[in-house]
Short mmCIF file of all heavy atoms in Angstrom, two decimals:
data_model
loop_
_atom_site.label_atom_id
_atom_site.label_comp_id
_atom_site.label_asym_id
_atom_site.label_seq_id
_atom_site.Cartn_x
_atom_site.Cartn_y
_atom_site.Cartn_z
N GLY A 1 100.87 130.46 96.84
CA GLY A 1 99.64 130.45 96.03
C GLY A 1 98.58 131.34 96.75
O GLY A 1 97.83 132.21 96.10
N LEU A 2 98.41 131.14 98.08
CA LEU A 2 97.34 131.84 98.88
C LEU A 2 97.70 133.34 98.91
O LEU A 2 96.72 134.15 98.92
CB LEU A 2 97.21 131.25 100.18
CG LEU A 2 96.59 129.83 100.26
CD1 LEU A 2 96.63 129.34 101.63
CD2 LEU A 2 95.10 129.93 99.63
N LYS A 3 98.93 133.65 99.13
CA LYS A 3 99.29 135.15 99.14
C LYS A 3 99.14 135.84 97.77
O LYS A 3 98.96 137.12 97.80
CB LYS A 3 100.74 135.20 99.65
CG LYS A 3 100.97 134.91 101.04
CD LYS A 3 102.29 134.82 101.62
CE LYS A 3 103.39 135.71 101.11
NZ LYS A 3 104.69 135.62 101.74
N SER A 4 99.04 135.13 96.76
CA SER A 4 98.82 135.68 95.35
C SER A 4 97.31 135.90 95.18
O SER A 4 96.90 136.20 93.94
CB SER A 4 99.43 134.95 94.30
OG SER A 4 98.69 133.63 94.11
N GLU A 5 96.52 135.74 96.16
CA GLU A 5 95.06 136.03 96.18
C GLU A 5 94.26 135.00 95.26
O GLU A 5 93.25 135.33 94.75
CB GLU A 5 94.78 137.42 95.70
CG GLU A 5 95.24 138.44 96.77
CD GLU A 5 94.70 139.85 96.42
OE1 GLU A 5 93.80 139.98 95.64
OE2 GLU A 5 95.20 140.71 97.06
N LEU A 6 94.81 133.78 95.13
CA LEU A 6 93.94 132.64 94.60
C LEU A 6 92.83 132.51 95.58
O LEU A 6 93.01 132.57 96.73
CB LEU A 6 94.80 131.42 94.32
CG LEU A 6 95.82 131.59 93.24
CD1 LEU A 6 96.80 130.22 93.31
CD2 LEU A 6 95.28 131.66 91.82
N PRO A 7 91.73 131.81 95.01
CA PRO A 7 90.65 131.54 95.91
C PRO A 7 91.14 130.35 96.89
O PRO A 7 91.64 129.44 96.44
CB PRO A 7 89.60 131.01 95.13
CG PRO A 7 89.93 131.49 93.75
CD PRO A 7 91.39 131.76 93.72
N MET A 8 90.96 130.61 98.23
CA MET A 8 91.48 129.72 99.25
C MET A 8 90.92 128.25 99.09
O MET A 8 91.59 127.32 99.00
CB MET A 8 91.11 130.16 100.60
CG MET A 8 91.66 129.25 101.69
SD MET A 8 91.32 129.91 103.36
CE MET A 8 89.67 129.48 103.49
N GLY A 9 89.58 128.12 98.86
CA GLY A 9 89.05 126.73 98.87
C GLY A 9 89.50 125.98 97.66
O GLY A 9 89.88 124.79 97.71
N ILE A 10 89.52 126.68 96.46
CA ILE A 10 90.00 125.95 95.23
C ILE A 10 91.53 125.71 95.29
O ILE A 10 91.91 124.49 94.97
CB ILE A 10 89.69 126.83 93.96
CG1 ILE A 10 88.06 126.88 93.92
CG2 ILE A 10 90.20 126.22 92.76
CD1 ILE A 10 87.58 127.82 92.75
N CYS A 11 92.23 126.66 95.86
CA CYS A 11 93.68 126.53 96.03
C CYS A 11 93.95 125.29 96.78
O CYS A 11 94.85 124.45 96.56
CB CYS A 11 94.24 127.77 96.58
SG CYS A 11 95.97 127.88 96.59
N TYR A 12 93.39 125.23 98.03
CA TYR A 12 93.58 124.08 98.84
C TYR A 12 93.18 122.79 98.25
O TYR A 12 93.76 121.68 98.34
CB TYR A 12 92.89 124.30 100.19
CG TYR A 12 92.99 123.22 101.21
CD1 TYR A 12 94.28 123.15 101.90
CD2 TYR A 12 92.04 122.26 101.52
CE1 TYR A 12 94.43 122.10 102.78
CE2 TYR A 12 92.26 121.29 102.46
CZ TYR A 12 93.53 121.20 103.05
OH TYR A 12 93.64 120.14 104.00
N ALA A 13 91.99 122.77 97.61
CA ALA A 13 91.51 121.58 96.95
C ALA A 13 92.47 121.17 95.89
O ALA A 13 92.75 119.84 95.73
CB ALA A 13 90.10 121.84 96.26
N VAL A 14 93.04 122.04 95.05
CA VAL A 14 94.00 121.48 94.06
C VAL A 14 95.19 120.97 94.73
O VAL A 14 95.74 119.89 94.30
CB VAL A 14 94.41 122.77 93.18
CG1 VAL A 14 95.56 122.49 92.31
CG2 VAL A 14 93.23 123.17 92.36
N TRP A 15 95.78 121.63 95.76
CA TRP A 15 96.97 121.12 96.50
C TRP A 15 96.76 119.76 97.12
O TRP A 15 97.64 118.81 96.84
CB TRP A 15 97.28 122.13 97.60
CG TRP A 15 98.48 121.96 98.49
CD1 TRP A 15 99.76 122.03 98.09
CD2 TRP A 15 98.40 121.59 99.85
NE1 TRP A 15 100.48 121.80 99.18
CE2 TRP A 15 99.82 121.42 100.23
CE3 TRP A 15 97.34 121.42 100.74
CZ2 TRP A 15 100.07 121.21 101.61
CZ3 TRP A 15 97.67 121.03 102.07
CH2 TRP A 15 98.97 121.01 102.47
N VAL A 16 95.63 119.58 97.68
CA VAL A 16 95.35 118.33 98.40
C VAL A 16 95.06 117.14 97.29
O VAL A 16 95.46 116.11 97.37
CB VAL A 16 94.16 118.40 99.35
CG1 VAL A 16 93.60 117.10 99.76
CG2 VAL A 16 94.54 119.25 100.59
N GLY A 17 94.29 117.67 96.14
CA GLY A 17 94.03 116.63 95.22
C GLY A 17 95.27 116.10 94.52
O GLY A 17 95.39 114.87 94.24
N ILE A 18 96.20 116.99 94.18
CA ILE A 18 97.41 116.55 93.62
C ILE A 18 98.17 115.65 94.54
O ILE A 18 98.59 114.55 94.22
CB ILE A 18 98.36 117.64 93.26
CG1 ILE A 18 97.68 118.41 92.08
CG2 ILE A 18 99.69 117.28 92.85
CD1 ILE A 18 98.39 119.79 91.78
N GLY A 19 98.26 116.05 95.89
CA GLY A 19 98.84 115.18 96.88
C GLY A 19 98.24 113.97 97.04
O GLY A 19 98.92 112.85 97.12
N ALA A 20 96.86 113.81 97.04
CA ALA A 20 96.25 112.55 97.29
C ALA A 20 96.24 111.64 96.13
O ALA A 20 96.60 110.43 96.28
CB ALA A 20 94.65 112.88 97.57
N THR A 21 96.09 112.15 94.93
CA THR A 21 96.14 111.39 93.71
C THR A 21 97.61 110.96 93.41
O THR A 21 97.82 109.76 93.20
CB THR A 21 95.71 112.27 92.35
OG1 THR A 21 94.48 112.74 92.70
CG2 THR A 21 95.74 111.39 91.23
N GLY A 22 98.64 111.75 93.68
CA GLY A 22 99.94 111.39 93.69
C GLY A 22 100.31 110.34 94.60
O GLY A 22 101.08 109.33 94.19
N SER A 23 99.97 110.46 95.79
CA SER A 23 100.16 109.46 96.88
C SER A 23 99.52 108.15 96.55
O SER A 23 100.17 107.04 96.81
CB SER A 23 99.65 110.02 98.23
OG SER A 23 100.39 111.14 98.60
N ALA A 24 98.41 108.18 95.94
CA ALA A 24 97.73 106.83 95.57
C ALA A 24 98.58 106.19 94.42
O ALA A 24 98.73 105.03 94.48
CB ALA A 24 96.30 107.14 95.12
#
């Protein structure tokens, strides 16, 4: 995702958010 030039901060936030919500 980062190599496709998505914005780094938002990309990371989405990735972590899915992981955190899914883990909960």
Side-chain angles (χ1 to χ4, degrees):
L2 290 172
K3 284 170 45 175
S4 67
E5 296 191 11
L6 290 172
M8 183 179 72
I10 296 172
C11 189
Y12 181 74
V14 168
W15 180 71
V16 169
I18 291 170
T21 306
S23 295

